[in-house]
Amino acid sequence: MKADIGVIGLAVMGQNLILNMNDNGFKVVAYNRTVSKVDEFLNGPAKGTNIVGATSLQDLVDQLERPRKVMLMVRAGGVVDQFIDNLVPLLEEGDIIIDGGNTNYPDTNRRYAELREKGIRYVGAGVSGGEEGARFGPSIMPGGDPEAWPHVKPIFQAISAKTEQGEACCDWVGKEGAGHFVKMVHNGIEYGDMQLISEAYHFMKEGLGMSHDEMQQIFAEWNKTELDSYLIEITADILGYKDEDGAPLVEKILDTAGQKGTGKWTGINALEHGIPLTLITDSVFARCLSSLKDQRVEAEKLFNNPISSIDGDKAQWVDALRQALLASKIISYAQGFMLIREASEENGWDLNYGNVALMWRGGCIIRSAFLGNIRDAFEANPELAFLGLDPYFKEILENCLPAWRQVVAKSFESGLPMPCMSSALTFLNGYTTARLPANMLQAQRDYFGAHTYERTDKPRGEFFHTNWTGKGGDISSTTYDV
Ligand code: 6PG
């Protein structure tokens, strides 16, 4: 019997996906560039399963049922191109290559177009959920050649996480690099959620002087509210984790955040699309700032800007903080979906936003109860431009607003850095303000550069230039917009 799928790359994600496929009744051929790893896998975790190994790419291809499905679980970048180059001569028209790595979606667009010309169907699939997700049910976001979907659907939907209603957290996202695009935004949102949680922890620890046991309990409590999510749950665990000497391990971890680039790509993309994705972008910058450890240590010594403790009823502050966190999180997702909508429209991807939320509902790092509500919001109104105007989320935002303002104001007052909760609030203040001071900006642009402006008393699209000083001419500069 030929195999259903071949998987290349036996690092932990690859191995776990293969084991997951095997558990679900699919026959998998495993291959790795360092071939000795194949034997180690077959004699180790894959022992006693139906998983088989390949000694070369040709051997892998020969063992596959047609159309052949080959999934790459290798490091994103040039390695993917190398494997594609080596695989294509061995494959036939209609065969399928899937990239399950964290690839930057323009690369997937390019590979999709190149392989389409060669008759190979290409799929770029975002896979989220870390090692455990890969093993027992990840969220999978496949995009690329729609003709490939019926062939990979049974495998992907079987191995993916399921919602409580039994729906697979995997569906077809859209053509070209749409799957990897959605995974990129997922990671951006992941960065935002992690930073928001870190800000709440900082407020509790440095502002309110709470102990780790108290904080652990609070996060565990929050996990029973609308904040119910994987990241809140692991934060409670982390706060409760003691090092060998009994002290909380988290305090021994150096405060410099790493990043592999997906959050940065999301921010760059937002700038390119002109979408105010402020929270995620600020969360990337927060990681950048954290990495300037030596400079920060020096600056703290030289600059008189201490964090002062926060007085008042602790329980009240903690509840205000919960509301600030929830409201900020809504803004982050709202911004993320604004970016997804813009990219969908620009690329003609025709994305289904409710389905995106469903794919993130389970299995992935940002999985949460909240995504069920986001799905409902987009199902009720697929044209929803801003999630915060959906009745459910609008009510939460309005209810949380006073506490959220208090928390942000207090953090500024006490010298606590709070980039994301404050940027979310600033965004909402701007988004719900009909008249912003951009009239002044336009006047300045016209004053120094004859860039023209539109008038409130004239129809949109008519542009005016004023000779502000009497010295400039009446000639305006060309009008073009980014
Ligand atoms: C996932 C994660 C994963 C990501 C890590 C590390 O969805 O399972 O998003 O794909 O690579 O979270 O990301 P950073 O190193 O950039 O924090």
Side-chain angles (χ1 to χ4, degrees), residues 268-387:
I268 291 172
N269 211 267
L271 288 170
E272 279 172 353
H273 280 106
I275 295 296
L277 190 92
T278 55
L279 192 146
I280 291 174
T281 314
D282 268 319
S283 72
V284 178
F285 288 140
R287 290 195 188 194
C288 300
L289 181 62
S290 80
S291 72
L292 305 177
K293 174 73 178 174
D294 295 343
Q295 291 184 41
R296 288 189 288 110
V297 169
E298 223 24 55
E300 185 182 300
K301 282 187 221 147
L302 298 173
F303 206 90
N304 183 22
N305 186 21
I307 295 172
S308 51
S309 60
I310 295 167
D311 300 326
D313 186 299
K314 215 191 267 184
Q316 253 174 30
W317 274 120
V318 167
D319 194 58
L321 199 54
R322 178 191 60 78
Q323 296 183 57
L325 177 54
L326 177 61
S328 304
K329 190 173 153 99
I330 294 172
I331 298 299
S332 182
Y333 284 65
Q335 292 180 344
F337 275 97
M338 285 166 97
L339 178 60
I340 292 177
R341 174 183 296 279
E342 183 65 25
S344 174
E345 286 172 3
E346 197 177 303
N347 295 300
W349 285 340
D350 199 21
L351 300 186
N352 179 321
Y353 312 117
N355 265 5
V356 171
L358 170 69
M359 279 181 260
W360 295 347
R361 174 70 188 81
C364 62
I365 304 295
I366 64 169
R367 62 183 178 263
S368 63
F370 177 88
L371 277 157
N373 302 107
I374 297 183
R375 186 201 186 190
D376 294 345
F378 282 115
E379 290 215 324
N381 178 12
E383 302 309 318
L384 189 65
F386 175 59
L387 189 65

Side-chain angles (χ1 to χ4, degrees), residues 454-474:
E454 292 169 279
R455 293 180 60 104
T456 54
D457 53 1
K458 297 282 185 210
R460 290 294 308 264
E462 266 185 59
F463 289 86
F464 299 88
H465 167 57
T466 294
N467 182 353
W468 294 86
T469 58
K471 289 186 224 128
D474 291 328

Side-chain angles (χ1 to χ4, degrees), residues 55-74:
T55 51
S56 65
L57 285 181
Q58 183 69 59
D59 184 25
L60 172 99
V61 167
D62 289 344
Q63 297 189 60
L64 292 173
E65 187 76 67
R66 284 185 198 155
R68 301 178 182 91
K69 296 170 276 301
V70 182
M71 183 163 187
L72 301 171
M73 289 303 296
V74 298

Side-chain angles (χ1 to χ4, degrees), residues 13 102 127-130 183 186-187 190-191 194 258-263 287 364-365:
M13 290 294 283
N102 259 336
V127 179
S128 176
K183 174 66 186 2
H186 163 282
N187 279 29
E190 173 185 308
Y191 274 50
M194 292 166 77
Q259 46 178 324
K260 295 201 189 76
T262 45
R287 290 195 188 194
C364 62
I365 304 295

Side-chain angles (χ1 to χ4, degrees), residues 214-232:
E214 282 176 301
M215 290 189 283
Q216 177 192 16
Q217 227 178 352
I218 296 299
F219 277 98
E221 282 301 317
W222 286 0
N223 207 33
K224 296 177 197 147
T225 68
E226 295 100 324
L227 286 169
D228 174 1
S229 62
Y230 171 71
L231 285 169
I232 294 279

